[in-house]
Amino acid sequence: LPSTLHRIDTVSQVAPFSLHQGTAIVSAWRPWQPVLRTQTMILGQWTPLLGLGVMLVGSSAPAFAQGPPTAVVTHGYQFFGTIPDWPFALADAIAHRAADQGGEEGSVWVYEAATGDLVPCQETWCKASGTAQTVIVFNWAADSNESGAGVSEAAAEALFAGLMAWSQEVDPLVDLSRLHLIGHSRGAVVNSEVAERLIAAGLPAPE
């Protein structure tokens, strides 16, 4: 790893979203309020960067411990602000399919917007309980029906920061070199924004 570190300080207008306090970005999202972000765990020299996006200047891709292959299921616009059943059913099917290749099945996790944490799926659809693959249901239903500018980008920032943090844990749940993003409707917009941020960070383009 390069010997120096980056810090990202950003002031921007963002949509309401809570973000995991990890090693990628540290943010405190507040509804349509200016947000000050500071980060000390990205490679390179101390450099102020402005804007919602994340660009790493003069740094190579960070090296992380290898976790299991990872898939993210991102739902789209939800009129009533509640997540439907299908993301959980799809995620469980993907987790079970890992066993079809002669190995162990995967497991389904859910992103909690209130805390930024990943929690094991407790929905009735979620039956898989192995460790061969991590399948994440990104639940942003409460904000997905907001029509203002920047909502999808804010969701992407939260997911990106979470992925970076979860991939750097001692026993990581996420492997960013084997990442598959699945999005429906507005969720595809969120995933495309995440892909842009991963590429800008020098990481492999997700599938």
Side-chain angles (χ1 to χ4, degrees), residues 7 19 168-169 177 190 204:
R7 181 176 67 187
L19 183 62
Q168 296 179 67
E169 294 173 346
S177 68
V190 173

Side-chain angles (χ1 to χ4, degrees), residues 5 50 82 99 110 168 172 198 202 204:
L5 297 175
L50 295 179
T82 56
V110 181
Q168 296 179 67
L198 291 168

Side-chain angles (χ1 to χ4, degrees), residues 59-135:
S59 64
S60 58
F64 304 135
Q66 188 176 45
T70 306
V72 179
V73 178
T74 307
H75 64 78
Y77 180 96
Q78 300 302 313
F79 185 82
F80 294 107
T82 56
I83 190 169
D85 290 336
W86 71 260
F88 303 107
L90 176 59
D92 191 66
I94 295 171
H96 277 294
R97 188 172 178 83
D100 294 343
Q101 302 175 358
E104 187 183 5
E105 64 186 11
S107 59
V108 180
W109 299 75
V110 181
Y111 171 86
E112 291 287 343
T115 63
D117 292 332
L118 283 184
V119 297
C121 180
Q122 301 297 323
E123 300 291 328
T124 56
W125 293 97
C126 301
K127 306 294 185 183
S129 59
T131 59
Q133 184 176 19
T134 298
V135 187

Side-chain angles (χ1 to χ4, degrees), residues 20 48 53 103 108 112 153 158 161 167 173 189:
H20 179 69
V108 180
E112 291 287 343
E153 289 85 352
S167 68
L173 284 170
V189 177

Side-chain angles (χ1 to χ4, degrees), residues 43-67:
L43 308 178
Q45 63 181 0
W46 298 109
T47 305
L49 301 175
L50 295 179
L52 268 175
V54 175
M55 297 293 290
L56 303 187
V57 179
S59 64
S60 58
F64 304 135
Q66 188 176 45

